[in-house]
Amino acid sequence: MTRDIAVVAFAKSDTLRSTDELSEVEMLMPVLHDVLAQTGLKTADIGFTCSGSCDYLAGRAFSFTLALDGVGAWPPISESHVETDGAWALYEAWTKLLSGDADTALVYSYGKSSPGSLRDVLTRQLDPYYLAPLWPDSVALAALQAQALIDAGDTDEHELAAIGARSRATGNPRAQLKGPVPHGDYVVRPLRTGDCPPVGDGAAAVVLAAGERARELCGRPAWIRGIDHRIEAHSLGVRDLTDSPSTRLAAEKAGVFERPVDTAELHAPFTSQEVVLRKALRLDDSVRVNPSGGALAANPMMAAGLARIGEAAARVHRGESDRALAHATSGPCLQQNLVAVLEGDPR
């Protein structure tokens, strides 16, 4: 069975350095109300619900069930959850709609990074025998990747600074960092403050719909023409950190290289990672990269990848893009990568 699936609505919260006064559920609910209001749907109208979050950030097991209570889990609904960025929850929802088991899906994700040390928390995803006991944090590992790129002649600190400046020169009202941001001092050489993402709390949500249902709910649906995800080896020592073959393969399977794209929303938390992704995705200067500001402007853990898909879809909805690429990543140094192609109906 072949079905056309589209993103028909996207909403996200402001990304804030701290939301001490809000629980994860209180942070999420306005976003869910917003995304459903855009389509006129009620929770009971949704055929499938899928979420993405991380218990390591919440500090307790099965934390997603609290959000599910807020969504409305009674009477029992068709629901699933992924312990990673919401982009992968969208992938699961896409397969569910392809199967014909549902015509609409609600996908959401959220993360609060402010309560702890995010750099240390992310160390827990490393190889538990060789790397994790050394406690190399996320910035130190990204710095290894950046230095490898500089040593290979693929970039320099001046270019990295320019990427950071462009990413923060955004009119996105939901961005955490906007306008001129000092490049700052070294955090871990060669990465400076401006090369690194802000730490923040936030949430994002999208609604998917199939076929004519999508056209009923949205004036210009963002059709998912291809989507795929791949993973690199867990051990950093066996990878070439200057390249991302998993991104390239996912892009090939998703059909990125079949025709040019005009927009690319890349989940590149560090400036050096945009260099890697541009090369893997064969993006030239004609492509608008991260017009939303990307993860360098706002990087809510577990929601930044889903936001890349949502931001790309929103540009299709508004008629600002005809064929957009969206990318999401998870893990150290671009370990896991998802690529999607979104297209609008011909005008």
Side-chain angles (χ1 to χ4, degrees):
M1 180 179 183
T2 301
R3 307 183 88 194
D4 290 332
I5 313 296
V7 177
V8 296
F10 164 62
K12 64 178 294 189
S13 69
D14 291 335
T15 304
L16 304 175
R17 179 59 184 88
S18 178
T19 53
D20 291 340
E21 73 284 2
L22 299 176
S23 69
E24 287 93 339
V25 181
E26 292 170 325
M27 182 178 67
L28 173 66
M29 292 312 298
V31 177
L32 297 184
H33 292 158
D34 184 0
V35 80
L36 290 173
Q38 291 178 36
T39 61
L41 295 172
K42 307 295 184 184
T43 303
D45 300 324
I46 298 295
F48 181 63
T49 300
C50 196
S51 60
S53 62
C54 178
D55 285 347
Y56 277 106
L57 293 180
R60 57 181 176 271
F62 300 102
S63 62
F64 76 94
T65 59
L66 297 178
L68 189 59
D69 285 342
V71 171
W74 185 263
I77 63 175
S78 177
E79 180 272 337
S80 186
H81 175 263
V82 298
E83 190 74 9
T84 186
D85 191 285
W88 278 262
L90 182 144
Y91 184 90
E92 181 175 341
W94 175 73
T95 61
K96 184 77 169 181
L97 268 60
L98 278 181
S99 72
D101 289 342
D103 291 327
T104 56
L106 171 65
V107 181
Y108 64 89
S109 59
Y110 58 92
K112 288 189 66 170
S113 302
S114 60
S117 171
L118 181 62
R119 291 170 63 173
D120 292 330
V121 168
L122 294 177
T123 303
R124 299 298 85 201
Q125 65 190 339
L126 299 175
D127 162 66
Y129 300 105
Y130 296 101
L131 279 180
L134 301 176
W135 285 94
D137 65 40
S138 56
V139 178
L141 293 174
L144 287 175
Q145 186 172 39
Q147 190 61 57
L149 287 163
I150 292 173
D151 291 345
D154 290 345
T155 191
D156 55 37
E157 291 191 35
H158 179 75
E159 180 184 3
L160 298 182
I163 291 172
R166 172 180 50 77
S167 298
R168 276 93 183 218
T170 174
N172 189 342
R174 300 296 191 184
Q176 184 177 351
L177 297 180
K178 291 174 283 191
V181 176
H183 200 41
D185 298 326
Y186 287 112
V187 182
V188 181
R189 195 179 292 269
L191 296 180
R192 296 177 181 267
T193 304
D195 296 310
C196 303
V199 175
D201 303 344
V206 303
V207 173
L208 302 182
E212 288 305 312
R213 190 71 174 119
R215 292 189 171 89
E216 294 170 3
L217 298 172
C218 180
R220 192 173 194 245
W223 301 103
I224 302 174
R225 296 307 186 194
I227 185 170
D228 194 79
H229 64 95
R230 302 284 162 158
I231 188 170
E232 307 281 351
H234 196 185
S235 174
L236 293 175
V238 300
R239 292 166 52 188
D240 176 3
L241 297 183
T242 68
D243 194 15
S244 182
S246 61
T247 298
R248 186 161 45 251
L249 179 57
E252 180 181 336
K253 296 297 183 181
V256 171
F257 305 131
E258 293 175 5
R259 290 191 296 111
V261 298
D262 52 44
T263 304
E265 281 285 341
L266 306 181
H267 188 187
F270 297 90
T271 55
S272 51
Q273 292 176 350
E274 181 176 311
V275 176
V276 177
L277 293 172
R278 277 179 171 269
K279 180 171 67 173
L281 295 166
R282 305 174 193 169
L283 301 179
D284 58 31
D285 292 339
S286 68
V287 180
R288 295 187 296 271
V289 175
N290 286 345
S292 70
L296 286 164
N299 188 42
M301 292 301 299
M302 306 301 138
L306 180 62
R308 304 282 68 73
I309 299 176
E311 293 284 5
R315 294 188 70 84
V316 174
H317 295 162
R318 297 192 297 264
E320 298 170 1
S321 174
D322 292 321
R323 190 170 194 261
L325 177 158
H327 163 268
T329 192
S330 182
C333 300
L334 303 172
Q335 183 188 9
Q336 305 164 48
N337 295 282
L338 179 148
V339 178
V341 175
L342 305 171
E343 293 184 358
D345 289 325
R347 290 183 283 184

